[in-house]
Amino acid sequence: MEKNIKSKLIPISLAVLVIIVDQITKLLIVKNIPYGSIGFQWFGDFLRIVHISNTGVAFSVGADWSTISRAILFCIVPLIVIIIVVIIYFKNKEFTTLQNWAIMGIAGGGLANLIDRFFRKEGVVDFIDVKFYGIFGYQRWPTFNIADSAVVVCGILLIISFIVIFVKDYKAKKTEKKDV
């Protein structure tokens, strides 16, 4: 029992780390780079550090919606979802170690952006700007932050882990049928 609790508590450190690093980097951006300008760039203009804000969600969806709509759909609903995910996280005893860490990385990223939504009237601070060479019609990928990166990377890891488990289970069942 103690091992199970420990295996659930240790990955929370990733959520806390994501929140801290995300908020510190956003604070540094807000204090040191004027809004709407480029602070640094590397490899020509491939990678830039800029200062912008987003009142919408991914790809600025909903940025022009009413304040109340954004508050409900981008603050309250995600907070409820994160609470439900954390409850499921603690109740489920079948998640692998990788899945535990991935879920906490996603929760940390979600909470970090929610902090901006609740406490920054200008919205979520985004600052990582990458050239995308016209792929999918984007010359530059929509600007993002550390929290967004954690959500995407951990989300991909979580999906891959579920696929690996599904394939293993499928192969095991197929082998069982052959043996019978």
Side-chain angles (χ1 to χ4, degrees):
M1 179 78 164
E2 185 178 312
K3 182 184 176 205
N4 188 39
I5 290 173
K6 195 174 187 179
S7 71
K8 294 290 186 173
L9 292 177
I10 292 173
I12 292 173
S13 64
L14 178 59
V16 172
L17 180 66
V18 168
I19 292 167
I20 291 169
V21 171
D22 180 73
Q23 291 299 307
I24 288 172
T25 55
K26 289 173 179 175
L27 180 67
L28 289 169
I29 295 301
V30 169
K31 290 207 178 269
N32 296 303
I33 300 174
Y35 186 82
S37 64
I38 299 168
F40 306 96
Q41 60 183 30
W42 294 276
F43 312 111
D45 69 342
F46 175 74
L47 175 63
R48 302 188 307 195
I49 302 299
V50 301
H51 177 187
I52 65 165
S53 295
N54 182 4
T55 56
V57 289
F59 303 95
S60 295
V61 171
D64 56 349
W65 295 358
S66 72
T67 303
I68 190 74
S69 296
R70 286 194 321 267
I72 292 168
L73 293 173
F74 303 155
C75 295
I76 306 303
V77 171
L79 182 60
I80 292 168
V81 169
I82 291 171
I83 290 168
I84 291 169
V85 166
V86 170
I87 290 169
I88 291 169
Y89 168 82
F90 279 105
K91 288 188 175 215
N92 187 312
K93 293 174 179 37
E94 296 184 21
F95 288 137
T96 66
T97 302
L98 175 62
Q99 290 168 340
N100 285 336
W101 284 93
I103 290 167
M104 283 297 105
I106 293 167
L111 287 170
N113 277 337
L114 279 178
I115 290 169
D116 283 19
R117 292 191 192 288
F118 282 111
F119 298 107
R120 293 182 192 271
K121 67 178 179 178
E122 67 275 10
V124 176
V125 174
D126 289 327
F127 57 90
I128 303 169
D129 180 54
V130 180
K131 191 168 192 164
F132 212 59
Y133 302 101
I135 302 170
F136 303 122
Y138 292 106
Q139 285 305 313
R140 304 200 71 77
W141 189 253
T143 308
F144 57 97
N145 57 45
I146 301 296
D148 298 334
S149 300
V151 169
V152 170
V153 170
C154 291
I156 290 169
L157 288 173
L158 188 61
I159 290 167
I160 290 170
S161 74
F162 284 128
I163 291 170
V164 167
I165 289 171
F166 175 79
V167 169
K168 282 183 182 177
D169 288 348
Y170 178 78
K171 286 181 178 179
K173 287 178 184 176
K174 198 172 177 182
T175 304
E176 284 176 16
K177 283 186 178 182
K178 282 184 180 179
D179 290 344
V180 173

